[in-house]
Amino acid sequence: MTSPLTTPNTTPHDPAAEDLQRRRKAISALGHELRLLVDATVRTTASPETLNRLADDIRTLTGAFTGPRRAPADVPAADEFPRGLRMYSPVTGPGSPLAPPLHVTPASDGVAGTCTLGIAHEGPPGYGHGGMSAMLLDELMGWACTAAGMPGMTIGLQLRYHRLVPLQTPLHLAARVTGTDDRKIFVVGSITTDHDRSATLVSADGTFVAPDPDRARALFPSLREET
């Protein structure tokens, strides 16, 4: 379940590692079911009466999530931040009901990603929202920085939409670092369909910056004990 770009920070057969894997498996299972629910929600033509009844049922389920809740700045215990798996990422997170999710793998000159957009990601009927393309590429280009040993944050992203991105069609994404200037990192990325990688649907040029340690600690207080 961990990204192939990272090395788990736990060891096999260790109780803590086994507990972490159980938690990640449960998070992923819930995320999968929630994505199916979201898909059913945006595709249904059920009557208002049925929708109101379902809303009541879901309200009851939401109330079952008891116990402490993490604050926005807290890193989930199941994550490997900043260089690894993010379970609730809206792009790659297996636990997110919003994510496609995008699966990231190493490539010869950077990183690659695969995913399939659903109707919940629709812009024009039958095609993906342009903002989804931007989010997918922004995420993958960030992974390219990390894979090159220079984790960075986006400071500029320019996209060109060549063709519409189809829904319910396997997509292939690619990203690679093209150069650096001090702490700035320059990255390019693209989206194609998986069956025709010669026809670019969306292309992007991005500029990322690797924050210095003091800035990183100020932005992410949870890293104070680790850096």
Side-chain angles (χ1 to χ4, degrees), residues 34-224:
L34 288 174
R35 286 190 290 275
L36 292 179
L37 176 61
V38 169
D39 183 71
T41 300
V42 299
R43 300 180 69 169
T44 186
T45 58
S47 68
E49 293 75 19
T50 298
L51 296 179
N52 284 326
R53 175 175 56 80
L54 290 170
D56 289 338
D57 292 341
I58 292 172
R59 191 175 300 113
T60 300
L61 286 174
T62 301
F65 286 88
T66 59
R69 298 192 180 190
R70 65 184 177 93
D74 294 341
V75 177
D79 280 9
E80 294 174 4
F81 182 78
R83 294 175 179 266
L85 184 68
R86 302 297 307 282
M87 291 298 296
Y88 299 106
S89 163
V91 184
T92 60
S96 171
L98 308 176
L102 179 70
H103 179 63
V104 182
T105 56
S108 59
D109 60 348
V111 292
T114 55
C115 70
T116 300
L117 297 181
I119 294 181
H121 307 120
E122 187 175 60
Y127 299 94
H129 193 288
M132 283 301 304
S133 295
M135 187 163 67
L136 290 171
L137 284 168
D138 182 39
E139 177 78 9
L140 191 69
M141 292 162 79
W143 275 101
C145 294
T146 299
M150 300 173 289
M153 302 172 62
T154 316
I155 60 172
L157 186 64
Q158 182 174 4
L159 275 76
R160 181 176 179 185
Y161 296 88
H162 304 270
R163 298 173 176 83
L164 292 171
V165 177
L167 299 178
Q168 298 181 319
T169 301
L171 302 175
H172 179 268
L173 289 82
R176 60 184 177 87
V177 172
T178 59
T180 61
D181 180 9
D182 193 16
R183 292 188 294 109
K184 288 185 178 180
I185 310 154
F186 306 105
V187 192
V188 295
S190 63
I191 301 176
T192 67
T193 60
D194 193 47
H195 75 274
D196 185 5
R197 299 185 185 183
S198 65
T200 301
L201 307 178
V202 185
S203 59
D205 291 280
T207 304
F208 291 69
V209 63
D212 61 60
D214 290 340
R215 179 60 172 162
R217 283 189 288 268
L219 289 170
F220 310 111
S222 58
L223 295 180
R224 288 186 184 277

